[in-house]
Amino acid sequence: MAETDLVKSQETPFEGGPMDGRVLPVLLGPTGHPPKTYRIPVPDPAGGPPTVLVYRRVPRAHSRRLGLVQGWKYQYDPDDRSGGKLRWPWSKPDAAPSGKPDDANG
């Protein structure tokens, strides 16, 4: 059996940001879906740390009758705050922004 038979990929379009309009082959996971987040490191020309472009997976289209997802695309997320960490359902929510809390009573 050839190795290409074991690894599946899907041509996935990218929207927004520097990758807008490009279609890249993205490896599929064990469920047959591409990853929820796609990170692209872009080297710094001055030799500094690379800039990381973050794209989020969104449905490309839905079927009319059942509303099932028919393919995926990636949409640019310039305000990524996840920091590359996994979010578990039992994790505490992110800390509130620093500063003075709103006082509705006073």
Side-chain angles (χ1 to χ4, degrees), residues 37-39 52 54 56 80-88:
T37 306
Y38 197 83
R39 299 178 191 284
V52 179
V54 178
R56 301 257 176 238
D80 175 48
R81 293 189 184 100
S82 68
K85 300 184 296 185
L86 288 175
R87 300 255 352 229
W88 300 102

Side-chain angles (χ1 to χ4, degrees), residues 2-105:
E3 188 174 324
T4 56
D5 293 338
L6 300 175
V7 179
K8 302 234 183 230
S9 65
Q10 177 180 12
E11 296 291 320
T12 309
F14 285 75
E15 286 186 353
M19 299 292 290
D20 190 31
R22 295 191 187 186
V23 177
L24 298 176
V26 176
L27 294 177
L28 302 178
T31 61
H33 298 288
K36 290 182 180 180
T37 306
Y38 197 83
R39 299 178 191 284
I40 304 170
V42 178
D44 185 271
T51 303
V52 179
L53 304 175
V54 178
Y55 285 84
R56 301 257 176 238
R57 182 184 75 186
V58 295
R60 190 184 319 183
H62 294 279
S63 65
R64 281 183 166 186
R65 191 168 201 164
L66 298 175
L68 301 174
V69 173
Q70 293 187 323
W72 300 97
K73 63 183 177 182
Y74 282 105
Q75 197 161 26
Y76 184 56
D77 184 7
D79 300 326
D80 175 48
R81 293 189 184 100
S82 68
K85 300 184 296 185
L86 288 175
R87 300 255 352 229
W88 300 102
W90 54 85
S91 299
K92 293 181 182 177
D94 291 338
S98 61
K100 187 175 179 182
D102 293 334
D103 188 7
N105 297 331

